[in-house]
Amino acid sequence: MGKQPVKLKAVVYALSPFQQKIMTGLWKDLPEKIHHKVSENWISSILLLAPVIGTYSYAQHYQEQEKLEHRF
């Protein structure tokens, strides 16, 4: 038996560059969503942000001291 060609119809979905309302759900109530996430996970937020802020402030202080060291 020979193979018979089967015609397939392809459906192509595309977004219009002039009307994209798909992403609006992400930005709706954004401050409320952020507040909810932080209030649920505040201890994790502190444990994440404390080392980052500490390292940044240490680097800024070290850099400032290094600049002042060459003044005198």
Side-chain angles (χ1 to χ4, degrees):
M1 295 238 137
K3 293 183 181 179
Q4 294 179 353
V6 178
K7 292 184 179 181
L8 296 176
K9 293 184 179 180
V11 178
V12 178
Y13 294 99
L15 295 174
S16 169
F18 302 108
Q19 187 177 10
Q20 293 184 357
K21 294 183 179 177
I22 293 174
M23 300 291 283
T24 57
L26 281 174
W27 315 117
K28 183 190 273 185
D29 301 329
L30 188 65
E32 183 180 331
K33 289 179 183 178
I34 291 173
H35 179 266
H36 182 67
K37 292 286 186 186
V38 170
S39 64
E40 273 187 0
N41 305 315
W42 64 272
I43 190 73
S44 299
S45 300
I46 290 173
L47 292 176
L48 172 72
L49 292 176
V52 172
I53 293 172
T55 304
Y56 178 76
S57 62
Y58 172 76
Q60 291 296 324
H61 176 72
Y62 183 81
Q63 188 178 23
E64 187 66 27
Q65 291 301 323
E66 197 174 46
K67 284 194 293 189
L68 291 176
E69 184 179 291
H70 296 291
R71 278 187 165 184
F72 302 110

